[in-house]
């Protein structure tokens, strides 16, 4: 079990020494490991897990998803099911904000920030999570970040090693 003091100290140490947000990777999956598809939104979680995720959102400064998740799932990325403030919404996509003009997220109160991975390339010309996270911490004052995916964004984050915690929800009653 993690104590309350550990919940405070670990993010502080990551912020202070690595100059980046404390990063939580979160996803929901079916029993057979599916987290989504490109045909339609895949509903994996139920009302109780949705409330839990909304509680987690109140505990972070920002929530990030990739452009494919925004396109196919059309999420709101806010807090509706529990009391608390919604975090800054961040969309990581090489597509422009106008591409997503009809999405729900653009009609909600609160700020949505669109960032291009092209703005965070390293000297080899590759997208670099280190650069993005440092920007988030130093320029946006984000100390805790929840990355909700989708699969490309999450895999890229996990491969980079720039994450501190994984929260995986598995629906044992659902398979595809």
């Amino acid at each position: 079990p993690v104590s309350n003091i550990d919940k405070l100290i670990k993010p502080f140490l990551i912020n202070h020494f690595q100059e980046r947000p404390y990063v939580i990777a979160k996803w929901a999956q079916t029993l057979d490991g599916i987290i989504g598809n490109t045909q339609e939104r895949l509903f994996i979680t139920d009302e109780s897990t949705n409330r839990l995720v909304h509680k987690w959102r109140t505990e972070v400064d920002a929530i990030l998803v990739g452009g494919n998740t925004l396109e196919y799932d059309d999420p709101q990325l806010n807090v509706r099911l529990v009391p608390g403030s919604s975090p800054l919404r961040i969309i990581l996509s090489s597509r422009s904000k106008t591409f997503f003009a009809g999405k729900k997220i653009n009609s909600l109160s609160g700020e949505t920030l669109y960032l291009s991975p092209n703005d965070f390339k390293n000297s080899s010309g590759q997208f670099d999570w280190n650069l993005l996270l440092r920007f988030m911490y130093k320029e946006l004052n984000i100390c805790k970040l929840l990355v909700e995916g989708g699969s490309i964004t999450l895999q890229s984050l996990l491969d980079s090693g720039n994450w501190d915690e994984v929260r995986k929800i598995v629906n044992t009653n659902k398979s595809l």
Side-chain angles (χ1 to χ4, degrees):
V2 178
S3 70
N4 286 336
I5 195 78
D6 289 338
K7 287 181 182 180
L8 294 172
I9 289 176
K10 191 168 182 185
F12 171 79
L13 293 174
I14 296 293
N15 296 163
H16 185 73
F17 291 109
Q18 296 186 29
E19 296 184 316
R20 68 166 176 81
Y22 180 85
V23 178
I24 303 163
K26 174 263 172 197
W27 67 90
Q29 69 180 50
T30 60
L31 188 57
D32 51 352
I34 305 298
I35 70 168
N37 66 51
T38 59
Q39 308 305 314
E40 61 187 346
R41 184 169 185 182
L42 180 60
F43 292 94
I44 298 173
T45 55
D46 59 20
E47 188 176 330
S48 65
T49 53
N50 289 341
R51 273 195 307 277
L52 177 61
V53 170
H54 283 231
K55 179 185 177 299
W56 291 343
R57 289 177 181 174
T58 68
E59 299 168 353
V60 298
D61 302 306
I63 179 171
L64 180 144
V65 298
N68 288 341
T69 295
L70 182 58
E71 181 179 357
Y72 299 119
D73 287 355
D74 197 12
Q76 296 182 53
L77 303 177
N78 61 4
V79 175
R80 302 177 306 281
L81 303 177
V82 298
S85 298
S86 292
L88 169 68
R89 298 177 294 259
I90 300 175
I91 310 304
L92 183 64
S93 177
S94 56
R95 289 175 259 169
S96 70
K97 179 179 179 177
T98 56
F99 179 86
F100 302 107
K103 299 300 178 185
K104 293 175 198 167
I105 204 167
N106 294 312
S107 63
L108 300 172
S109 62
E111 188 177 0
T112 302
L113 182 62
Y114 290 81
L115 297 176
S116 172
N118 297 328
D119 294 332
F120 302 97
K121 289 185 174 180
N122 60 25
S123 58
S124 302
Q126 302 295 313
F127 168 69
D128 190 329
W129 277 98
N130 289 310
L131 296 174
L132 173 62
L133 294 172
R134 186 167 288 217
F135 169 80
M136 288 180 166
Y137 179 70
K138 289 188 165 199
E139 303 299 324
L140 303 177
N141 298 315
I142 296 171
C143 295
K144 286 182 84 175
L145 174 68
L146 181 63
V147 179
E148 286 200 24
S151 61
I152 294 170
T153 302
L154 283 165
Q155 192 61 60
S156 171
L157 173 66
L158 295 175
D159 290 346
S160 78
N162 286 295
W163 55 275
D164 304 294
E165 185 178 330
V166 168
R167 296 180 183 176
K168 179 172 68 169
I169 299 167
V170 179
N171 185 334
T172 57
N173 297 316
K174 188 167 197 157
S175 304
L176 290 182

